[in-house]
Each structure stands twice: as C-alpha cells, then as structure tokens.
Amino acid sequence: MNSLRIGHGYDVHRFGPGSAVVLGGVSIAHTQGLVAHSDGDVLIHALCDALLGAIGAGDIGRHFPDSDPAFAAIDSRILLRRVVEQVHARGWQLVNLDATLIAEAPRMAAHVGAMQGNLAEDLQVEVGQVNVKATTTEKLGFTGRAEGIAAHAVVLLQGAADA
C-alpha cells in the first residue's frame, strides 16, 4: 500500500537593482532584479517549501537560513537538489508539481518550458510531472504594482505506507 502527501509552498521577493530575474533556474532579462540573500528564485523557494512541508521537515529558512553566509547568492537549484535528497532519503517520490508564478512583468510564457526542464532534472522526474504557469493580478496588490514576484507550488508525494 502506498501513502500520499501534499505540500504547499509560497514565496515572495521584491524587485530591486539588477537587469534580470532567475525563475525556475532560468535567467530572464528584466529592468530589475530580485532582492534576496540567494539568487531570489521564488519559484524554486516555493517548491522547496512545498517539498519540505510534505515530508514534515519545516521550511527553506530552517534548512538554509539567510543569516548563513554560505547561502549568499547561491544558485537555488543547489538548494532544491539538497531538498530532493531529503525527500528521497525519507522514502518519498514526487508524483507531480503544479506551480504558479504571479507577476505583471517580466513576461514568462516563452521561458516556462526551460523552467519545467530544469525543475524536472533537479526533481529527478519526467517533464510531464512538472507544470509551471504564470499569471498577473490585473494590476492589484504588490505584484500588480510591479513591486515584486510571488510563487505558489503544490506537490504530491508518494511513498511506502511506513514512509
């Protein structure tokens, strides 16, 4: 018998100096960057939180605190791979990921395929198990005012009944 677990993650970073944003491990040219201790990849941060939540292991800040200089400007894909190691070590496998990026800009549709490819590689699953979509808030709220980017991620994990 198999067990299932669902995890949800959410992350936000505000815009600041820079000429690109990194989302799903893809650098996208933009008039601003994202302010963060790491590379500011809100999509991967939300995904890490979803995975950690599903296995009952807290959140990304607990495992990779922004007070630790070792994580300054780190590529978030490295963090994701470390989280995936924890997921697998506890006997769980990803069934699927569904993620939503929320921003007025930059436009992301042309980059979604590359994001899904990066995430599938790091999650050690097929691309068909990874869905990324982007939306706006119709100019409402902090994302609508182009103050930053938000992301939600939901994962379904499958493991042995005693996992």
Side-chain angles (χ1 to χ4, degrees), residues 11-22:
D11 194 44
V12 171
H13 284 286
R14 64 183 163 90
F15 285 121
S19 60
V21 297
V22 177

Side-chain angles (χ1 to χ4, degrees), residues 45-134:
H45 298 174
L47 173 53
C48 286
D49 271 354
L51 291 166
L52 291 165
I55 64 171
D59 61 27
I60 192 171
R62 178 171 143 195
H63 295 268
F64 313 108
D66 62 8
S67 58
D68 188 336
F71 304 118
I74 194 168
D75 179 340
S76 292
R77 291 184 70 189
I78 294 169
L79 305 180
L80 176 56
R81 289 182 204 122
R82 291 182 187 172
V83 169
V84 169
E85 288 173 3
Q86 291 183 50
V87 169
H88 292 166
R90 293 180 187 214
W92 296 95
Q93 294 291 324
L94 183 79
V95 175
N96 75 302
L97 158 67
D98 186 32
T100 305
L101 289 159
I102 306 161
E104 295 295 321
R107 302 306 276 180
M108 297 177 215
H111 307 282
V112 166
M115 291 179 206
Q116 290 177 165
N118 286 343
L119 297 176
E121 179 180 331
D122 295 341
L123 291 163
Q124 302 173 24
V125 298
E126 299 297 320
V127 173
Q129 294 171 261
V130 175
N131 187 60
V132 175
K133 54 200 177 294

